[in-house]
Amino acid sequence: MVQIVDEALAKPLAGQVLVEVEAIGVNPFDYKSYSGEFGADESALPLRLGSEASGIVRAVGNTARGPAGPISVGDEVIVSGAKGAYAEKLLVPADAVLPKPSSLSWEEAAGLLSVAGTAFDTIEVVGVSAGDTVLVHGAAGSVGSIVVQLAVARGARVIGTARAVNHEALLEYGAEPVEYGSGLLDRVKALAPDGIAAAIDTVGTDEAVDVSLALVSDKARIVTIAAFGRAGKDGFTAVGGGNPESAARRKKARADLVAAAGRGELKVPIAKTFPLAEVAQAHAELNGEHPRGKFVLIP
């Protein structure tokens, strides 16, 4: 059961900041963490949900310095890698706070870094570079759409799987869309008769894995963010899931990803916003077929 409870917050200690939250990014991990998918350890309860948000700094502890430098009361910020970001106010380490570009809305800022960091991680792991032909599974999803944008920016040719309703959006990002489902392998071969250099799976289906393995000869250039069992069984890379190397890559890339979004080079589509009180409904909808883009909670 998801509940909202009142909790008093202390003043920031050294190295901490207090943020008044304007928007909160919603991610599949949030509901998976209590669904039983990651186990059912009752000793871990209650869980504090959410890892990313945007807001305004209201108090600063001594020696609080973020990745971009000193933090001041009144700064508009992005909070990344926090615990319990589903809140009206957040007490977080200063290292979790980055300046919010004025060009980004609160919603865009709150929904940026989880998906962009994950996307960057996949791109780095398979070494996408100019001239590569890259297959992206789930290319219209929140992570997949950022993967497409980053790969195109590196000079790669991108073929992206998606429902037909999302093909126009993929074309706008510079990808060549292809319908997933029966016959996917043949459709991709027809688009790329010279072969696929790398495959990035953001959905975790057997279809995505099987097609990737059939098309990419070097397993080091196949990566998934979801099919962890298949990765272990079939000998390709999975990122995330508590992997410290993934966490380090994503953390290192935060400032560059924020800057790129601020310049308009990375687009974060927002599918829908919900009041914080409707968090259970947001999770239910995110767990089913839903509009393209991020879900965001508003305190």
Side-chain angles (χ1 to χ4, degrees), residues 22-292:
E22 296 288 340
I24 304 155
V26 180
N27 297 289
F29 178 87
D30 299 345
Y31 62 76
K32 289 179 180 180
S33 66
Y34 64 82
S35 70
E37 185 166 334
F38 300 145
D41 181 4
E42 293 187 5
S43 69
L45 298 175
L47 294 171
R48 296 169 60 86
L49 301 178
S51 62
E52 60 178 350
S54 60
I56 303 169
V57 175
R58 294 306 186 196
V60 179
N62 291 334
T63 71
R65 184 179 179 88
I71 303 168
S72 301
V73 171
D75 284 352
E76 296 185 352
V77 296
I78 297 173
V79 180
S80 172
K83 292 184 178 180
Y86 286 16
E88 294 177 342
K89 292 184 179 180
L90 271 176
L91 188 62
V92 295
D95 185 56
V97 173
L98 296 98
K100 181 186 84 69
S102 60
S103 57
L104 294 183
S105 69
W106 293 116
E107 294 82 3
E108 290 169 330
L112 171 65
L113 279 176
S114 178
V115 291
T118 301
F120 176 83
D121 197 4
T122 67
I123 290 283
E124 283 289 286
V125 164
V126 298
V128 172
S129 60
D132 283 341
T133 297
V134 181
L135 176 62
V136 179
H137 297 281
S142 295
V143 174
S145 63
I146 303 293
V147 171
V148 169
Q149 294 173 69
L150 292 174
V152 168
R154 291 192 178 194
R157 177 194 179 196
V158 178
I159 296 172
T161 73
R163 291 184 294 155
V165 69
N166 292 321
H167 284 191
E168 184 175 345
L170 291 187
L171 289 169
E172 292 176 2
Y173 290 142
E176 299 170 46
V178 60
E179 185 92 24
Y180 56 75
S182 179
L184 175 61
L185 177 60
D186 290 335
R187 289 192 292 277
V188 176
K189 284 182 175 179
L191 282 173
D194 294 330
I196 298 293
I200 297 173
D201 165 40
T202 72
V203 293
T205 61
D206 284 333
E207 175 190 67
V209 171
D210 291 341
V211 169
S212 299
L213 289 169
L215 292 171
V216 181
S217 58
D218 182 359
K219 290 184 180 180
R221 303 204 72 191
I222 301 174
V223 65
T224 184
I225 67 170
F228 295 100
R230 288 295 304 270
K233 174 185 174 183
D234 294 306
F236 59 93
T237 301
V239 296
N243 183 317
E245 293 180 357
S246 283
R249 280 190 295 267
R250 298 176 190 194
K251 185 174 183 179
K252 186 177 180 180
R254 289 181 305 174
D256 287 342
L257 292 168
V258 169
R263 295 191 298 267
E265 296 169 6
L266 282 181
K267 303 292 185 183
V268 184
I270 304 302
K272 197 170 182 179
T273 62
F274 298 80
L276 180 56
E278 296 179 10
V279 56
Q281 180 63 28
H283 286 182
E285 291 189 27
L286 186 63
N287 196 26
E289 190 170 292
H290 56 82
R292 183 180 66 86

